[in-house]
Amino acid sequence: MFRFLVRRILGAAVILLIISALVFVLFYAAPRDPARIACGKVCTPETLELVRKNLAISDPLPVQYWEWLKGLFVGRDYSSFGHCNAPCLGYSFQSREPVLDTILDRFPTTISLSLGAAVVFLIFGVGTGMLAAVKQGKALDKIASSASLIASSMQIYVVGVFATYLLVDQLHLLDRASYTPFTDNPGKWFSGLLVPWLVLSLIFTANYTRMTRSQMVESLSQDYVRTARAKGLSSRTVFFRFAWRGAMGPIITIFGLDLGVLLGGAIITEQTFSLQGLGRLSVKAVETNDLPMLLGVVMVAAGAIVVFNIIVDAVYALLDPRVRLA
């Protein structure tokens, strides 16, 4: 298991290095002047000169990339703005602060939104899919399949507005979407994120319902499950010890990818509910041409996806030891 994890971590490091190089080249080798882009829409000649000097635009592109990469490990000195401590993802010349500081300030909102929604769609999606598989062909199965098909076709920005109007403004059942740090007020943290959790989890719940049902139906038809039943094991034992374990592998794989994407920034949900997370930060960076900030958010999103892929591989290897030999 240890060697398996080492291989995955080394592979992930190589992938992140390749991603960083590609993203850096895409952003800084653009036909337009990268210094002017990084300076933003409101840029004075003095500020432009400072940006050009601090980004070392006159250096060859490989040298610029090496300086940026080195900043991740040892930090980087910006002659006009001071030292950026490691891991340094760059310096935003518009907000006048290191990119990582801004990302860390917004990250708790995105983590709270993503993890809360993940708990909701796992409980309801996997649970409903398992029930539909057990009741295959019956009324519950048909209702769950139809509901998941309808839910998967909905759009977050439409459902979000409707849910706010109905549940908050008209029925006054839930609080308006907001973010309060958990350490300040756990109750307000929960109530302020409940509507975004429900809306964000809607489409995922539909997808996980259909996927879980499909995997469970296939698993229940396997020879080893029929053999377990023939030996006289109880339906509960057969379901959870054999069928459920065989069906969870693909679901865990998809969950790791989905959670990595969510942690990278649930852009539409944050925009819909005006939550100040990584999604809103990336949109603002695009609107204001804040190139260093956008590069930092992209790298954090890529890192989240890669990290959760490693976690998924580890869990998958525990469920199926044959994976460790791959």
Side-chain angles (χ1 to χ4, degrees), residues 88-120:
C88 180
L89 290 174
Y91 191 93
S92 173
F93 302 102
Q94 298 184 40
S95 62
R96 299 301 177 99
E97 64 179 3
V99 168
L100 185 61
D101 290 354
T102 305
I103 290 178
L104 291 178
D105 183 59
R106 302 290 187 93
F107 204 46
T109 304
T110 300
I111 288 179
S112 299
L113 176 63
S114 303
L115 295 184
V119 171
V120 173

Side-chain angles (χ1 to χ4, degrees), residues 47 125 127 141 255 290-291 310:
T47 305
D141 180 24
F255 173 70
D290 193 344
L291 198 59
I310 295 175

Side-chain angles (χ1 to χ4, degrees), residues 125-136 141 207-226 229 235-251:
V126 174
T128 305
M130 292 170 66
L131 288 175
V134 173
K135 303 294 183 180
Q136 183 181 1
D141 180 24
N207 293 337
Y208 277 79
T209 297
R210 290 185 287 115
M211 183 169 55
T212 302
R213 179 195 178 279
S214 175
Q215 292 296 324
M216 285 300 302
V217 168
E218 181 180 351
S219 184
L220 288 169
S221 64
Q222 295 296 318
D223 291 338
Y224 66 88
V225 174
R226 288 197 292 264
R229 284 174 174 164
S235 298
R236 182 185 298 272
T237 301
V238 171
F239 189 85
F240 287 104
R241 185 175 178 182
F242 296 98
W244 179 82
R245 185 172 180 176
M248 285 300 105
I251 295 173

